Amino acid sequence: MALKNVIGIDHAVVMVKDLDKAADNYRKLGFTVSPRGTHSAHMGSGNYTIMFDPDYMELLGILAATEHNAPARAHLEKNGEGIERIAFTAVDSTAGAEEIRARGFPPVGPVDFERPVTLPDGTVSAAKFRVFQWPVAEAPGGVRIFACQHKTRETVWIPELMTHANAAKRLKQVLIASPEPAKEAAHLSRLIDREPKTEADGAVTVPSGGGRADFVFLTRDQLGKRYPGVSLDGIPERGGAALVFISGDLAATEKALGAAAVRSGSAVCAPPAKANGTLLAFVAA
């Protein structure tokens, strides 16, 4: 049975070395980037968000080394910048944590936290969350997973932040590189109770549920064949590789990406070197 309190992908976390430079990179690629957020001293991190409907991506950087962010720092040291973890939407984090505990995966949390948010009118409010994680060691393809319950959706999904010059509308797929795609997909399948499906090119897709973006596990070679002509420099052999977006207008996407744009088959792409270790692919709806 699928998890009742955990539905599909909520957001993708791209770990970066210099938070403000990363935000500038993504603005140059035509994304509308939120004002910078700062997490608690315990978390020791800050972020920028890039909002879609119904999901988003997060640029995450370390502001101060803490015990809490040790796994993220280790990931950054080993793999460099790129997709470090994926969040699911939690309907109820407390109940969701008990669901995975019943399946043999002791949850980390749930814990509550918040960060200040500057609203478009200049006032400051707060974005509040309750999150839990699967055990840190349970990281299919080297990418950690957690679930996020939004207690203040109105301070996260702000309409003024949801329109992008590059016409990005939502996430379609999260691609994770691995020498053993079937093994990693089976691992994720056990964690979220979703059935994997092997694709024609040997990649393995795991639906995240709720009509949200799919996970795709594939080798680096398979990734290169899906996006010929796009440099994969910066993509690890095992770890977060690419985000695929649905675009409302590929001509607008290509224009917004400018010199970074690479036409690859039916997709318009930005290579990892231009997007902090993550290949960005835009496809028509």
Side-chain angles (χ1 to χ4, degrees):
M1 277 184 69
L3 299 169
K4 293 179 180 179
N5 285 284
V6 177
I7 54 178
I9 288 176
D10 187 83
H11 63 278
V13 178
V14 175
M15 199 78 211
V16 301
K17 293 178 180 177
D18 186 316
L19 191 51
D20 293 332
K21 278 187 179 179
D24 192 46
N25 287 344
Y26 276 77
R27 289 189 195 100
K28 290 175 181 176
L29 294 172
F31 290 102
T32 300
V33 180
S34 74
R36 176 168 156 166
T38 302
H39 299 136
S40 67
H42 165 70
M43 295 178 73
S45 54
N47 75 343
Y48 289 93
T49 60
I50 299 172
M51 304 305 302
F52 312 116
D53 182 14
D55 46 38
Y56 65 102
M57 63 182 296
E58 176 182 8
L59 305 176
L60 183 69
I62 301 300
L63 304 181
T66 69
E67 182 180 353
H68 177 85
N69 63 44
R73 286 185 284 116
H75 185 281
L76 198 58
E77 179 69 25
K78 180 181 178 181
N79 291 328
E81 296 182 303
I83 302 165
E84 189 264 337
R85 75 192 89 153
I86 298 294
F88 295 85
T89 298
V91 178
D92 183 320
S93 279
T94 302
E98 291 309 309
E99 281 190 279
I100 70 165
R101 189 191 308 278
R103 287 161 169 77
F105 303 110
V108 180
V111 296
D112 294 283
F113 76 97
E114 62 183 73
R115 58 176 170 81
V117 173
T118 302
L119 299 174
D121 64 3
T123 61
V124 177
S125 186
K128 300 181 180 182
F129 314 89
R130 176 171 293 159
V131 303
F132 71 90
Q133 301 179 47
W134 277 255
V136 173
E138 305 287 353
V143 175
R144 290 191 289 158
I145 60 173
F146 69 107
C148 179
Q149 178 183 348
H150 292 272
K151 297 194 287 185
T152 54
R153 293 184 66 86
E154 69 280 1
T155 60
V156 179
W157 276 270
I158 297 171
E160 289 86 344
L161 299 178
M162 294 172 65
T163 301
H164 306 277
N166 61 26
K169 297 297 183 185
R170 55 166 293 183
L171 289 168
K172 180 180 174 68
Q173 294 174 325
V174 174
L175 277 56
I176 300 174
S178 169
E180 300 178 288
K183 179 180 177 181
E184 305 283 13
H187 184 184
L188 178 62
S189 177
R190 291 193 300 273
L191 296 175
I192 65 172
D193 277 342
R194 301 280 176 185
E195 285 299 314
K197 177 187 176 184
T198 303
E199 305 295 340
D201 63 354
V204 185
T205 295
V206 180
S208 72
R212 304 288 183 86
D214 294 330
F215 291 88
V216 180
F217 293 88
L218 72 180
T219 65
R220 207 169 179 276
D221 183 58
Q222 287 166 336
L223 178 66
K225 290 177 180 176
R226 285 195 173 198
Y227 299 103
V230 182
S231 171
L232 299 185
D233 289 349
I235 297 293
E237 289 295 327
R238 181 175 185 265
L243 296 174
V244 181
F245 303 95
I246 290 176
S247 167
D249 182 345
L250 284 177
T253 300
E254 194 164 20
K255 181 180 179 181
L257 266 56
V262 180
R263 274 276 183 178
S264 182
S266 60
V268 175
C269 300
K274 298 291 186 180
N276 296 85
T278 302
L279 189 159
L280 307 180
F282 299 79
V283 298

